Amino acid sequence: MQKKKLFISSAAALSVSGLLLVVPLSGANAADTSPAASKKPSGMTALAQTTGTPVTVLAGANNISFATCPAGTILTGGGGQTSGFDIFITDSFASGNGWAVRGSNRGTTAQNLTAVAICLG
């Protein structure tokens, strides 16, 4: 597998379920004439948010959701979304070329948990 170098000329801030992610972008500003912008790798310029399939977390239980970046893209970060105030994200971490979130439901009814991956491609 060939590694690609990513030259940073600016950064974008994304908010995913209250988490602030600062993600480096290559050549984000079309007017950027810095040396780094002129050396950006082709095909590696757009961020995309990939949402996993929601999983049900029963009352008083835990569950985990996964979101995977599409082929040809690389993971830059992630987070999760919940369907209510009674479910808490207890873990949020990279998993392969995707993101995983684990949630704990402290409520009395079932809730949904969904992982979100931020991918660069």
Side-chain angles (χ1 to χ4, degrees), residues 62-116:
N62 303 301
N63 206 345
I64 191 166
S65 175
F66 296 95
T68 303
C69 289
T73 65
I74 57 172
L75 177 71
T76 61
Q81 301 170 335
T82 65
S83 64
F85 294 108
D86 293 330
I87 187 167
F88 299 92
I89 294 176
T90 58
D91 295 297
S92 182
F93 54 93
S95 177
N97 196 34
W99 202 262
V101 290
R102 182 176 293 122
S104 178
N105 185 349
R106 298 299 175 214
T108 57
T109 60
Q111 302 286 328
N112 289 328
L113 174 67
T114 308
V116 177

Side-chain angles (χ1 to χ4, degrees), residues 15 19 33 65 80 106:
S15 178
L19 299 173
T33 57
S65 175
R106 298 299 175 214

